[in-house]
Amino acid sequence: MTNTTQTSKPISETSTPKTRKGVTRWIFILFGCLCVVLATIGIFMPGLPTTPLLLLASWLFYKSSPRLRERLLASRLGEHIRTYERRQGMTLRQRLWALALMTTMVTLSCTVFISNTIVRIIVAVAGLIGCIVVGFVVPSARK
C-alpha cells in the first residue's frame, strides 16, 4: 500500500515548472518586476503590502523565468518569501503586527504628513486594500 498523504513543499522544492512561452512569458516577467518594485516601495510607503506583492512576483517568475525567481529568493527580499513558504502563511502575531503598523502609518500619513487631498485618498485606499489583503486574503500559518 502506498502512502497517500502528501507533505506540502515550498515551490522551490517542487518539480520543474512549466514556464510560459512567447509574449505571455514576457508579460509575466514585466508584471513580476513591477511587483518587486512595488514591494520595495511598500517597505517605506505605509499601506502598500510588501509580502503579498513579493509572493505574486515569485509566482509570476516561477511561471516565466525560474532564474529570476531564484535571484529573488536569494535577495534580501527573498527572506519574506522563504518564511511565508516554510510556514505556509502568516502567524497571527505577524498579521496583527502588520495591520497595526499599516493602520498607524496610514493614519499618521493622512493626518500629519500629507496635505494634498488626492494623495491622502490614494494612501488611504492603498492602506485599506493592504489591510483587506493581510486580514482576509493571506492564509494563516500552519504550525
Side-chain angles (χ1 to χ4, degrees):
M1 179 182 261
T2 60
N3 185 358
T4 58
T5 59
Q6 293 180 347
T7 58
S8 53
K9 295 180 180 178
I11 293 173
S12 59
E13 295 178 14
T14 58
S15 62
T16 306
K18 290 190 175 188
T19 57
R20 305 285 176 169
K21 302 287 185 208
V23 175
T24 306
R25 176 178 186 261
W26 290 105
I27 290 171
F28 275 40
I29 289 172
L30 176 69
F31 279 115
C33 291
L34 179 64
C35 287
V36 170
V37 169
L38 289 174
T40 305
I41 293 170
I43 294 171
F44 305 102
M45 182 181 168
L48 195 59
T50 302
T51 303
L53 287 168
L54 288 175
L55 293 171
L56 178 58
S58 176
W59 180 82
L60 289 166
F61 290 151
Y62 176 78
K63 292 293 188 179
S64 61
S65 175
R67 183 177 59 86
L68 286 176
R69 183 173 190 280
E70 290 304 318
R71 285 185 65 187
L72 177 62
L73 288 174
S75 72
R76 285 186 75 180
L77 294 174
E79 179 183 337
H80 297 290
I81 299 167
R82 291 188 304 272
T83 301
Y84 179 88
E85 285 180 347
R86 185 177 63 247
R87 293 183 179 156
Q88 297 180 347
M90 291 178 77
T91 64
L92 179 60
R93 183 177 181 192
Q94 288 173 322
R95 186 182 312 274
L96 293 175
W97 184 247
L99 290 169
L101 281 175
M102 282 192 290
T103 303
T104 301
M105 292 308 297
V106 167
T107 303
L108 274 173
S109 295
C110 290
T111 57
V112 177
F113 301 117
I114 300 171
S115 59
N116 186 320
T117 305
I118 301 294
V119 176
R120 279 184 183 168
I121 293 170
I122 292 170
V123 169
V125 168
L128 179 63
I129 291 169
C131 287
I132 290 170
V133 167
V134 169
F136 299 104
V137 177
V138 177
S140 296
R142 298 181 188 183
K143 294 183 180 183

